[in-house]
Amino acid sequence: VREFYSGKCDRGVSLRRREELSSPTRGGHVEAEAWYVTYFNFTVVNVIEEFLYADAKNCPLLRESAMKFILKNSMEVINSDSFENVLMTKTITKEIMLAVAAEGQGKDDIGKIDLSINDLRMALYEKGLDVDGSRELLTSRIEK
């Protein structure tokens, strides 16, 4: 984690597999998520699956990255077959709709704080605090 967030990562390290995101090892989970998001290629076909997976496995960086892709490609995603899966989950549907509405009003912020997940994690790392958890948990640690 230290190497990734300090920018001293060895780019030759192989990409972590998706299964590692559900690893119970806290530091390993954050590192695997960061690598996965760095090298994963979102498409209209896979973004909803990744968003739902990120929600289920508490991967805020993956969730944030998927949301950014959804916002940039909202009409294509909404018209895709995979979007039906989102409509089954009220809270996620509402979150996406709020993000699309905020984007339409010129607001970049998806969460309650202006920092991205990476920025939150870097700030927590610099303070010597735990860098794993949801956006809300990371934000609460920063605000203390």
Side-chain angles (χ1 to χ4, degrees):
V1 175
R2 181 181 313 121
E3 290 175 358
F4 189 87
Y5 285 101
S6 67
K8 297 177 183 174
C9 268
D10 177 6
R11 293 289 177 181
V13 175
S14 63
L15 177 62
R16 309 282 184 173
R17 295 181 323 208
R18 183 179 187 201
E19 293 83 33
E20 292 179 34
L21 296 178
S22 58
S23 168
T25 308
R26 297 176 73 71
H29 168 83
V30 172
E31 182 180 314
E33 182 185 16
W35 277 103
Y36 188 75
V37 167
T38 300
Y39 294 104
F40 186 76
N41 184 31
F42 288 106
T43 67
V44 171
V45 174
N46 69 21
V47 69
I48 296 301
E49 179 184 344
E50 295 301 316
F51 186 84
L52 295 172
Y53 182 84
D55 185 60
K57 297 296 183 178
N58 192 25
C59 299
L61 182 59
L62 177 58
R63 186 181 171 124
E64 177 182 75
S65 298
M67 180 65 82
K68 286 179 182 178
F69 182 89
I70 290 168
L71 291 175
K72 287 181 185 173
N73 304 284
S74 57
M75 289 311 298
E76 293 90 348
V77 172
I78 289 169
N79 291 326
S80 72
D81 293 335
S82 63
F83 193 70
E84 293 297 319
N85 295 326
V86 169
L87 298 176
M88 291 185 234
T89 311
K90 281 181 162 181
T91 56
I92 293 175
T93 303
K94 182 179 178 182
E95 183 177 339
I96 290 173
M97 297 305 293
L98 288 171
V100 169
E103 176 93 347
Q105 294 177 1
K107 298 177 184 174
D108 293 338
D109 186 30
I110 294 170
K112 296 177 183 176
I113 194 166
D114 290 338
L115 299 175
S116 69
I117 296 297
N118 274 336
D119 291 339
L120 285 168
R121 285 181 172 166
M122 184 59 132
L124 288 166
Y125 170 76
E126 289 172 356
K127 290 182 175 187
L129 300 171
D130 189 8
V131 297
D132 196 13
S134 67
R135 172 180 286 282
E136 293 77 20
L137 188 56
L138 299 176
T139 302
S140 71
R141 287 185 193 133
I142 288 285
E143 291 174 345
K144 286 184 181 178

